[in-house]
Amino acid sequence: MGGEIGGRSREVLDVVYRLGEASVADVYAEIPDFPSYSAVRSILRALEEKGLIRHTRDGQRYVYSATVPAGDASRGALARVLDTFFGGSPGHAMKALIELSRDENYDIDYDEIERLIWRARTEGR
């Protein structure tokens, strides 16, 4: 399925995921600083060519939806980040996230992380 996407394409895809399905007008309304309606339409067409979304007709308009569930897409993206930046090591990625949270004042729920680690250990992962 399609290659990497970024910038405006990522914004558009995020709207489609958040809404479940979206028309060009829906996406345009959700991203207030988007340059034009036709730019949204072009990006939706490009995302569809990459196989990331598909459309159905609803009267005169196209309605777009994701081809891959959000959870599957996020796991795939995370796996690529792990491989690319952390040598496939979740531990290295977790260390970077913790350091980032200190530097950028992101909140980390350490209790939740401990529960997830405990569950993974007891399930033999």
Side-chain angles (χ1 to χ4, degrees):
M1 208 166 302
E4 297 297 314
I5 64 166
R8 291 296 193 174
S9 294
R10 169 57 51 203
E11 285 183 87
V12 169
L13 188 57
D14 288 347
V15 169
V16 172
Y17 272 117
R18 189 171 64 253
L19 298 179
E21 61 179 29
S23 67
V24 175
D26 295 332
V27 172
Y28 189 64
E30 289 285 318
I31 307 173
D33 64 338
F34 220 86
S36 70
Y37 187 89
S38 63
V40 172
R41 191 172 47 241
S42 295
I43 289 174
L44 286 165
R45 192 173 322 119
L47 290 170
E48 189 168 26
E49 287 172 5
K50 290 182 177 194
L52 298 170
I53 61 174
R54 63 178 163 264
H55 76 270
T56 56
R57 281 192 82 103
D58 181 17
Q60 293 295 321
R61 66 186 192 140
Y62 285 169
V63 177
Y64 296 86
S65 59
T67 58
V68 176
D72 293 349
S74 64
R75 281 188 293 281
L78 186 55
R80 286 189 299 279
V81 168
L82 282 174
D83 289 342
T84 302
F85 297 104
F86 301 103
S89 170
H92 291 142
M94 181 57 70
K95 180 180 179 217
L97 286 170
I98 290 169
E99 289 170 354
L100 178 67
S101 74
R102 288 187 199 138
D103 295 344
E104 303 294 329
N105 294 319
Y106 290 114
D107 290 332
I108 288 188
D109 184 347
Y110 292 105
D111 293 332
E112 177 67 10
I113 292 170
E114 286 178 14
R115 281 190 295 277
L116 292 170
I117 292 169
W118 180 84
R119 187 180 328 148
R121 282 186 175 155
T122 59
E123 292 175 359
R125 286 190 238 155

